[in-house]
Amino acid sequence: MEARNETKQKRGKIKGRAVDATAAAEVQALLGAAPRRRDLLIEHLHKIQDRYGCISAAHLVALAREMALAYAVLDFMQVLDQQIAPAGCCAEQGLH
């Protein structure tokens, strides 16, 4: 019975990367009242790209949380972007 309670407690904890408060606020402002449906993922990514010129890891994490997606769903996009994007196109030192 104790093991079952521990499992339930683990499920209740937030997993994954920490969400940067600034990035979360920026993503929420960009999305506004738009629905957070999965079929709008690319559109929402374009909003971030258009506003900041790139999609930072902080924005990816914030978008994943906002849309209730696993970060892994978005992480591969950043890997692809790093392979084809010019160096320094999106500085990770801080948000824009």
Side-chain angles (χ1 to χ4, degrees):
M1 188 72 145
E2 223 173 286
R4 188 178 291 181
N5 288 338
E6 287 178 25
T7 302
K8 286 182 182 179
Q9 288 175 349
K10 286 180 185 177
R11 283 188 208 154
K13 292 183 180 179
I14 297 173
K15 294 181 181 178
R17 298 181 184 215
V19 178
D20 178 86
T22 302
E26 290 173 349
V27 168
Q28 288 171 354
L30 280 173
L31 299 186
R36 279 24 177 196
R37 296 189 326 257
R38 290 176 184 220
D39 63 316
L40 296 174
L41 173 61
I42 300 299
E43 182 177 329
H44 295 330
L45 287 166
H46 277 289
K47 288 179 184 179
I48 295 169
Q49 176 85 27
D50 292 346
R51 171 66 178 89
Y52 298 106
C54 64
I55 302 171
S56 69
H59 285 124
L60 279 177
V61 172
L63 181 62
R65 181 64 53 90
E66 187 68 22
M67 295 185 69
L69 298 173
Y71 178 76
V73 171
L74 300 175
D75 192 38
F76 80 96
M77 291 181 182
Q78 184 184 24
V79 171
L80 290 176
D81 187 52
Q82 288 173 352
Q83 292 174 0
I84 59 173
C89 81
C90 193
E92 290 293 333
Q93 297 93 319
L95 295 174
H96 316 271

